Amino acid sequence: DIPGANATGGTLTCSNTSVMLMGSGNGTFSWTGPNNFTSALQNPVVGAAGTYVLTVTGSNGCTSTAEAMVDQDDDIPGATATGGTLTCSNTSVMLIGSGNGTFSWTGPNNFTSALQNPVVGAAGTYVLTVTGSNGCTSSASTEVDLDDDTPGATATGGTLTCSTTSVMLMGTGNGTFSWTGPNNFTSALQNPVVGLSGTYVLTVTGSNGCTSTAEAMVDQDDDIPGANATGGTLTCSNTSVMLMGTGNGTFSWT
């Protein structure tokens, strides 16, 4: 009678780096396999993929053989990661992760997450590790940038006088313009014209939502020039007199 050999293998993975070959039969056991593997155990433990052959030798000297396959599943789960840019108006971004397995993120300020697509609010490098069902891992990193450049507002005013009843405010900056001022003055022009003295505030808003402010003064110069006039007395002997004028400016008599 032949000893009826039977052999069963298994699958090696990144988390299971060895498998036990299962042999059965009525007799003594002898295994051979890859890399010159040999064993006289009934159920040896192996760590290499390939075909293993079990020979069972009965007490009558008859032999029986069986094969067992040990497969190798070391496919990586293919992680990819995408970040984004934080701005003054966008204070959080969603990290986008992909891969075949479970997700684990790490990042700045001891950030961790098991979500596939977590939302973050800090700039820096984020690392995604995807772990497949076979225990194999794949990693990918992505950057979250920070765009908080201010648009650099500057503002210039001027002086109102009795002859100059309006001035143009001059604004500069990289963005959109918004002025406020006396008597609830508002304007979205870069260089509005105003007719009231006081403090005007320019706010420039950049495309990233960041703002910059600057002030411009409009002064009022309405000091009068202080005219003073002195005459005299004409007589038969003094047929003319000099009028005396004082004041800060140009003179005109009538």
Side-chain angles (χ1 to χ4, degrees):
D1 291 339
I2 58 174
N6 193 295
T8 304
T11 301
L12 298 169
T13 67
C14 294
S15 54
N16 294 319
T17 57
S18 64
V19 297
M20 179 177 284
L21 302 176
M22 305 298 290
S24 64
N26 187 16
T28 60
F29 296 85
S30 175
W31 290 90
T32 60
N35 302 328
N36 298 316
F37 172 81
T38 62
S39 177
L41 298 175
Q42 180 178 354
N43 301 315
V45 175
V46 298
T51 302
Y52 291 81
V53 177
L54 170 63
T55 300
V56 180
T57 304
S59 59
N60 59 2
C62 295
T63 61
S64 177
T65 61
E67 291 186 352
M69 291 298 301
V70 173
D71 299 314
Q72 181 79 54
D73 177 8
D74 56 2
D75 292 338
I76 59 175
T80 66
T82 304
T85 300
L86 298 170
T87 67
C88 293
S89 53
N90 294 319
T91 57
S92 63
V93 297
M94 178 178 285
L95 303 176
I96 302 298
S98 66
N100 186 19
T102 59
F103 297 84
S104 175
W105 290 90
T106 60
N109 303 327
N110 298 316
F111 171 81
T112 61
S113 177
L115 296 176
Q116 180 175 355
N117 303 315
V119 175
V120 298
T125 302
Y126 290 82
V127 178
L128 168 65
T129 300
V130 180
T131 303
S133 58
N134 58 4
C136 298
T137 61
S138 178
S139 295
S141 64
T142 188
E143 291 294 323
V144 172
D145 300 315
L146 177 59
D147 177 8
D148 59 358
D149 293 338
T150 58
T154 67
T156 304
T159 302
L160 298 170
T161 68
C162 293
S163 57
T164 302
T165 57
S166 64
V167 296
M168 179 177 285
L169 303 176
M170 304 298 291
T172 64
N174 186 19
T176 58
F177 297 84
S178 175
W179 290 91
T180 60
N183 293 343
N184 297 318
F185 171 82
T186 61
S187 176
L189 298 175
Q190 181 175 355
N191 302 314
V193 175
V194 298
L196 290 174
S197 61
T199 301
Y200 291 82
V201 178
L202 169 64
T203 301
V204 180
T205 304
S207 58
N208 59 3
C210 297
T211 60
S212 178
T213 60
E215 291 185 354
M217 290 299 300
V218 173
D219 299 314
Q220 182 78 52
D221 179 8
D222 55 3
D223 293 338
I224 57 175
N228 196 317
T230 304
T233 302
L234 296 171
T235 66
C236 293
S237 57
N238 292 320
T239 58
S240 63
V241 297
M242 179 176 286
L243 301 176
M244 304 299 293
T246 61
N248 185 19
T250 59
F251 297 84
S252 174
W253 290 89
T254 57

